[in-house]
Amino acid sequence: MRLWKYQQENRSKLVEAGLNRWEIGEIASRIGQLYFNQYMRTSDARFLVEAYVFYEAILHRKYFEGAKAKDIGVRFKELRFYARFLLVSLILNRTEMVQFLVDRFRALVDDSKSNFRETNFKEWKLVVQEIVRFMEVNTAFANVRTLRYCFLFDSHPTSRPYVARYHARKVLKFQDAILTGYHRNEIKFAEITLDTYRMLQCLEWEPNGSFYQKHPVESVYQKHPVESYENGTVMATICEELPPEGIMLNIYQSQVESSGGSWKSSKNKVVSGTSSEQNSYASESHTNGKRDSSDYHDNYLWLGPRGTAGSNTLYPGDIIPFTRRPLFLIIDSDSSHAFKAERGEPSALLLSPLKPTFKNVAGVDTTHNGSQFTFFLTAPLQAFYQMVGLSSVSTDTDVYNDAEEMLSNAFSEWEVVLCTSNSLDLVWAQVLSDPFLRRLILRFIFCRSVLSTFCPPRDTEQYLPVCLPHLPSSVSPSSEVVRLAVLRLSNHLNVSDYFHFDDN
């Protein structure tokens, strides 16, 4: 910052001495990267906003424009600037800016290939392809509400008094979150996979519903620190620093790999809720011919490439020492149910289904669309649409908005049920006051109830998520307040025929 201030105060002298505008842009770009690195270390959103400010200034002041047309070094600096600005804008959910930068970035790469024919820009083409694919999936549901927590939409007036009066014997505050994930070939941009991005956004505050404004007012907001690492060793440090009333959210997103190959999410390995071929998956053998469905699910998570076992393999027992401190675990994996057994001290645990299920199997590529369970926890209505084969593009805006309101009303009802329950386990009771964790619990209830009536009636265990300890029966899929909410939503969207509701 002292360097930046110095060049501002002495700009004319420096220019006279030969300072180029692109060099000023390079200084600003490096400062922006320093701020971003500090954000990655601390998860403090202020540093992310500062990085955005510097990158935006470079763009608007056109520091890199007019540079020597044949200077390959300057061109690489400009390409790095756009890639870094894209990542910061993506994390900050500045969708319009991301779309603008994608167009500029693509044009710059094309221009580079034309003007620097002796240089290979294959890696930069791959970066362009990454962000284009990422945005195609991320913006598939246009003009819908943000994934972030917004008081205007996620705090329900009817149930708010019940939540405000609710007091457990011990109340925990959400302090930290660790996102750890590995899926082969999952769509991503830079270090951020689609599932990590969705969960990252889900754990952010959205100030005052400003995403609905065409030109939102700039504001600095507080958020829970969210750290993304390739492994969970970091847990020890956070547990040591966790205050007595704090709780850590630990999210594992993983795909099983074995020594003989990997189970890739593909179109013939997801289940259709209505297809007569749905059970063909059960008889499918492993790619090496030595493994069948009976031992398909390993008792560990893979958190890295197959050739790097050891530190990249997480067993249920590895987490036990950390359960001595308050812990909220989400395991999203096709081996998630292995974590039912060894649990140590009581902790909040949400386990994904072992297999996803969709109405139109051919229309969903889970490798490129992310996890169904994570989608339900971060964008429940969009996940519902995807599951039944609907798209927001083909749905009337009023119909979609009414569906959002119906879901919001259901969550409000369920909040009251949970807050007034006499059988709510202390593990859940002590986190119910936290808005982020409460929202995850409500969305889990919705996900479980939807899948229980949508998935094949037989062999349902593989297709349903699990929570431990158990939530009260008053919010089970068979409870009237939950079942009716799913029925109303499916009737509203004309998809009730896809579900297995009781005759009553």
Side-chain angles (χ1 to χ4, degrees):
M1 289 306 296
R2 287 198 299 271
L3 173 63
W4 185 250
K5 185 177 180 181
Y6 177 84
Q7 69 84 22
Q8 284 181 319
E9 294 173 348
N10 299 275
R11 176 74 63 84
S12 58
K13 294 180 181 178
L14 291 170
V15 171
E16 289 176 9
L19 183 70
N20 295 304
R21 283 186 62 78
W22 69 261
E23 291 176 304
I24 299 172
E26 170 67 0
I27 294 171
S29 181
R30 290 191 178 209
I31 294 174
Q33 186 63 13
L34 284 172
Y35 272 118
F36 179 75
N37 289 340
Q38 191 69 5
Y39 162 75
M40 292 295 287
R41 284 194 291 268
T42 66
S43 299
D44 190 329
R46 293 176 300 169
F47 295 117
L48 192 64
V49 173
E50 287 292 344
Y52 184 92
V53 168
F54 271 87
Y55 289 143
E56 188 179 43
I58 296 170
L59 181 71
H60 290 167
R61 296 172 189 176
K62 303 178 181 179
Y63 281 130
F64 283 106
E65 292 188 20
K68 295 179 181 178
K70 293 298 181 180
D71 192 328
I72 186 65
V74 176
R75 180 53 59 92
F76 279 135
K77 294 177 189 294
E78 187 175 7
L79 287 168
R80 281 194 294 269
F81 153 69
Y82 274 104
R84 291 167 176 172
F85 194 9
L86 271 167
L87 182 57
V88 170
S89 300
L90 187 66
I91 297 174
L92 283 173
N93 201 35
R94 307 293 175 89
T95 306
E96 290 185 6
M97 178 59 80
V98 171
Q99 296 288 8
F100 175 79
L101 292 173
V102 167
D103 293 338
R104 293 286 292 268
F105 188 40
R106 184 195 288 115
L108 188 64
V109 171
D110 291 340
D111 180 78
S112 300
K113 290 188 296 181
S114 300
N115 286 309
F116 302 94
R117 295 183 181 275
E118 69 283 1
T119 304
N120 190 338
F121 289 91
K122 182 179 179 181
E123 290 185 1
W124 289 107
K125 283 188 64 178
L126 291 176
V127 175
V128 172
Q129 292 170 6
E130 268 192 358
I131 186 61
V132 168
R133 285 198 300 264
F134 192 100
M135 292 307 295
E136 284 176 352
V137 176
N138 189 46
T139 58
F141 289 83
N143 301 317
V144 297
R145 54 161 299 182
T146 180
L147 301 185
R148 298 179 173 198
Y149 189 99
C150 178
F151 186 82
L152 185 63
F153 301 99
D154 292 301
S155 178
H156 313 294
T158 304
S159 57
R160 198 179 301 153
Y162 291 89
V163 174
R165 291 195 301 265
Y166 185 79
H167 292 288
R169 283 182 293 171
K170 184 178 181 181
V171 176
L172 298 176
K173 296 179 181 179
F174 178 22
Q175 293 290 133
D176 289 277
I178 303 177
L179 310 184
T180 309
Y182 174 73
H183 284 254
R184 288 191 66 201
N185 305 319
E186 185 180 4
I187 187 170
K188 66 181 180 66
F189 177 64
E191 301 91 350
I192 299 182
T193 65
L194 181 63
D195 284 338
T196 298
Y197 173 77
R198 284 170 173 167
M199 192 58 73
L200 185 68
Q201 294 298 316
C202 180
L203 301 177
E204 296 274 10
W205 290 101
E206 179 66 37
N208 303 322
S210 60
F211 65 93
Y212 274 118
Q213 302 174 18
K214 189 170 184 180
H215 302 288
V217 178
E218 194 74 54
S219 63
V220 179
Y221 55 93
Q222 298 295 319
K223 73 179 189 69
H224 299 297
V226 180
E227 303 162 7
S228 181
Y229 294 92
E230 292 182 357
N231 59 65
T233 61
V234 148
M235 288 180 71
T237 302
I238 291 184
C239 282
E240 185 177 349
E241 299 174 350
L242 200 66
E245 73 284 358
I247 186 170
M248 174 174 60
L249 173 63
N250 207 345
I251 301 170
Y252 292 98
Q253 300 161 326
S254 170
Q255 175 189 10
V256 167
E257 287 191 43
S258 75
S259 58
S262 65
W263 280 98
K264 298 178 181 178
S265 299
S266 60
K267 292 177 182 177
N268 67 330
K269 289 187 176 66
V270 293
V271 177
S272 167
T274 56
S275 171
S276 60
E277 301 175 358
Q278 60 199 14
N279 288 322
S280 63
Y281 180 69
S283 60
E284 195 174 64
S285 63
H286 194 260
T287 52
N288 63 5
K290 297 179 181 179
R291 190 176 180 187
D292 59 30
S293 61
S294 63
D295 60 358
Y296 165 79
H297 305 291
D298 285 315
N299 62 342
Y300 57 84
L301 302 180
W302 277 97
L303 300 174
R306 187 183 60 194
T308 58
S311 62
N312 285 327
T313 306
L314 183 77
Y315 289 87
D318 295 336
I319 296 177
I320 290 178
F322 303 106
T323 63
R324 295 168 183 162
R325 302 300 304 275
L327 190 62
F328 193 119
L329 279 170
I330 298 176
I331 310 290
D332 187 356
S333 170
D334 45 13
S335 59
S336 63
H337 288 196
F339 287 74
K340 286 181 181 180
E342 299 183 67
R343 297 183 55 228
E345 297 296 320
S347 300
L349 189 58
L350 301 182
L351 302 175
S352 72
L354 304 183
K355 301 175 184 178
T357 177
F358 302 97
K359 172 64 173 67
N360 301 318
V361 174
V364 180
D365 184 346
T366 55
T367 301
H368 294 124
N369 285 278
S371 158
Q372 185 179 53
F373 186 57
T374 291
F375 207 14
F376 265 105
L377 294 182
T378 57
L381 185 57
Q382 295 178 38
F384 184 92
Y385 263 63
Q386 183 193 69
M387 185 190 72
V388 298
L390 297 176
S391 75
S392 63
V393 177
S394 60
T395 303
D396 181 79
T397 303
D398 290 337
V399 172
Y400 188 91
N401 291 339
D402 289 344
E404 279 276 22
E405 186 175 355
M406 293 175 70
L407 193 56
S408 178
N409 291 336
F411 287 170
S412 179
E413 277 190 275
W414 301 346
E415 277 188 343
V416 174
V417 173
L418 289 173
C419 289
T420 57
S421 173
N422 294 322
S423 58
L424 184 64
D425 192 282
L426 178 61
V427 168
W428 301 112
Q430 61 192 6
V431 301
L432 200 60
S433 297
D434 184 272
F436 287 92
L437 301 182
R438 184 173 65 253
R439 187 169 69 156
L440 288 172
I441 294 170
L442 294 171
R443 290 174 172 181
F444 172 87
I445 294 171
F446 175 68
C447 174
R448 183 177 62 175
S449 62
V450 166
L451 293 177
S452 68
T453 52
F454 180 80
C455 66
R458 54 185 175 275
D459 201 23
T460 58
E461 181 181 357
Q462 300 183 71
Y463 310 126
L464 296 183
V466 174
C467 66
L468 295 171
H470 296 296
L471 288 165
S473 59
S474 53
V475 289
S476 70
S478 60
S479 67
E480 185 175 2
V481 68
V482 173
R483 185 176 58 82
L484 286 179
V486 178
L487 178 60
R488 292 190 192 103
L489 181 62
S490 60
N491 281 334
H492 175 70
L493 298 175
N494 296 318
V495 293
S496 59
D497 289 345
Y498 303 162
F499 293 82
H500 310 284
F501 293 110
D502 295 338
D503 292 339
N504 296 330

